[in-house]
Amino acid sequence: MSRLLRTLAALVGAVLLAAPALAAAPSVDVQPEQLPRGADIAIAHIEDGVFVDGDRRVDLGAPRAYLLGRSGKAWIVGTTNADGGGRFRIKRLRPDDSFKTLLRGVSPYEVVVSDDGGRLARTTLHTRDKSSVVRVWSARSGRLLADRTFAGYLDVRALAGDQVVLAGDRGTLEWDSTTDWTGRITRRRAWEVDLSLDLMASFTGDPYEDGCTVVSPVTRPRKMLWRSCKERVEAFSPDGERMATVHILSDGIGPVDVWLREVDGTRRAHYTTSWFGSIRWESDTALLLDVNGERKASTVRCVVEVCENATDPGKVPTYRLSAR
């Protein structure tokens, strides 16, 4: 049994021993310097501009890099200059550690990789005529496959094959990028969408004006699985049984609270720290939290209330907020 599997087994065992506490949905103040060191992160990720997947390490050749998604046996990565504001590249990292640059001048913050890894999509907003240009490229060659201009401001929220899910003031739309057919999924605005799980979290209205979160199937948007006017969904677990949520108005440097819930909203745990960065799933049960605590920062693995460091704790980053 691998070290990670042994670690997860121990974590799950500890959770089972603490089963009576689950009903109380425990709250955990996550401070890296107080946690044991567990196994390294098991899924592919970026560390200081280096792609890491198990023992595999590839320098991505740029000051900043972002892992965007898998494409067959390759990975799609984005790179920028040191301040994250220029020299944008979208690259295909091949199994032999070589690169193919797919797109130049396209921000990695705006690119969505399709669920099947075959396509990339991105929206360009035009303020002059309040329109959105949506483009779809091959994730293998970078060839432009489709583009269309839509009225209003739309964001790409998910992509699977020909199907592109777009969200905007008019609600959530579906665009078939091959036939050019469009249709409305719901009048709610989607926030988090996973087409492979048939799950969607959407807003009933502007969260700053009393809009609420609704979790539903994409194919049956009227079937409400959960509703909250205080939290929004950040990530669904790979099996679609759980989700990580934050305060509905979380913005800026990062949330101070993360909730672990089942997809019907049942609360399993509540995590707090000075602020959280990236929130993602390592497995169906293990949540990875980039934790910036009072004294140290690390990526922390949590299975319900049992947490451990998945990286060595280091210095908490500091950011200077510019005046507006």
Side-chain angles (χ1 to χ4, degrees), residues 43 194 196-197 199 235-243 280-287:
I43 59 175
D194 192 315
S196 65
L197 296 174
L199 282 174
F236 293 111
S237 64
D239 63 0
E241 297 294 323
R242 298 165 183 82
M243 56 190 180
R280 59 203 187 277
W281 291 89
E282 186 181 45
S283 69
D284 293 339
T285 56
L287 189 62

Side-chain angles (χ1 to χ4, degrees), residues 159-181:
L159 180 65
D162 299 334
Q163 182 186 15
V164 184
V165 176
L166 306 166
D169 292 339
R170 294 182 292 154
T172 303
L173 309 178
E174 176 185 358
W175 171 43
D176 188 310
S177 59
T178 298
T179 66
D180 210 30
W181 174 88

Side-chain angles (χ1 to χ4, degrees), residues 36 42 49 65 89 100 125-126 145 151 188 223 237 240 254-255 266-267:
R89 301 287 188 273
K100 178 180 178 60
L125 305 179
H126 294 281
L145 301 177
R188 301 190 304 270
K223 180 181 179 181
S237 64
T266 301
R267 194 168 84 172

Side-chain angles (χ1 to χ4, degrees), residues 14 35 72 91 155 177 181 274 278 288 302 308:
L35 298 175
K91 302 177 181 180
D155 296 317
S177 59
W181 174 88
S274 296
S278 175
L288 291 177
C302 291
E308 63 182 14

Side-chain angles (χ1 to χ4, degrees), residues 37 39-45 47 54 280 282 288 299 301 310-311:
R37 181 60 157 91
D40 290 342
I41 298 172
I43 59 175
H45 61 287
E47 290 182 11
R280 59 203 187 277
E282 186 181 45
L288 291 177
T299 297
R301 173 187 298 110
T311 62

Side-chain angles (χ1 to χ4, degrees), residues 6-47:
R6 290 196 300 271
T7 300
L8 289 178
L11 287 171
V12 172
V15 170
L16 292 175
L17 288 174
L22 291 178
S27 290
V28 183
D29 181 33
V30 187
Q31 300 297 334
E33 70 275 7
Q34 299 174 5
L35 298 175
R37 181 60 157 91
D40 290 342
I41 298 172
I43 59 175
H45 61 287
I46 303 291
E47 290 182 11

Side-chain angles (χ1 to χ4, degrees), residues 25-252:
S27 290
V28 183
D29 181 33
V30 187
Q31 300 297 334
E33 70 275 7
Q34 299 174 5
L35 298 175
R37 181 60 157 91
D40 290 342
I41 298 172
I43 59 175
H45 61 287
I46 303 291
E47 290 182 11
D48 298 325
V50 176
F51 172 84
V52 180
D53 187 11
D55 294 331
R56 183 185 181 195
R57 291 180 172 267
V58 184
D59 189 335
L60 298 177
R64 288 193 181 187
Y66 308 86
L67 187 62
L68 303 182
R70 187 152 199 164
S71 179
K73 294 182 179 180
W75 290 90
I76 305 300
V77 298
T79 61
T80 73
N81 60 10
D83 66 8
R87 290 193 58 81
F88 298 137
R89 301 287 188 273
I90 305 299
K91 302 177 181 180
R92 183 179 180 88
L93 173 59
R94 302 183 180 107
D96 64 359
D97 295 349
S98 65
F99 296 100
K100 178 180 178 60
T101 298
L102 302 175
L103 303 171
R104 298 175 185 271
V106 175
S107 168
Y109 318 124
E110 302 167 352
V111 171
V112 177
V113 181
S114 65
D115 286 356
D116 59 10
R119 299 188 177 199
L120 313 173
R122 176 227 189 178
T123 301
T124 303
L125 305 179
H126 294 281
T127 56
R128 178 176 296 179
D129 60 358
K130 295 183 179 179
S131 65
S132 304
V133 178
V134 182
R135 293 183 174 89
V136 179
W137 297 272
S138 165
R140 180 172 293 275
S141 67
R143 181 170 63 92
L144 181 65
L145 301 177
D147 69 283
R148 176 168 172 170
T149 300
F150 293 84
Y153 298 140
L154 296 169
D155 296 317
V156 177
R157 288 300 178 191
L159 180 65
D162 299 334
Q163 182 186 15
V164 184
V165 176
L166 306 166
D169 292 339
R170 294 182 292 154
T172 303
L173 309 178
E174 176 185 358
W175 171 43
D176 188 310
S177 59
T178 298
T179 66
D180 210 30
W181 174 88
T182 60
R184 188 193 304 275
I185 295 174
T186 176
R187 293 188 180 276
R188 301 190 304 270
R189 182 172 189 156
W191 174 258
E192 183 73 15
V193 180
D194 192 315
L195 292 172
S196 65
L197 296 174
D198 191 24
L199 282 174
M200 171 177 64
S202 56
F203 293 131
T204 59
D206 188 336
Y208 288 91
E209 297 180 359
D210 300 325
C212 299
T213 295
V214 171
V215 174
S216 68
V218 178
T219 55
R220 290 183 291 168
R222 294 185 179 181
K223 180 181 179 181
M224 185 174 67
L225 303 175
W226 181 62
R227 177 187 172 98
S228 173
C229 297
K230 295 182 179 180
E231 299 170 38
R232 70 170 188 251
V233 177
E234 286 295 285
F236 293 111
S237 64
D239 63 0
E241 297 294 323
R242 298 165 183 82
M243 56 190 180
T245 69
V246 300
H247 191 278
I248 197 169
L249 297 181
S250 291
D251 201 353

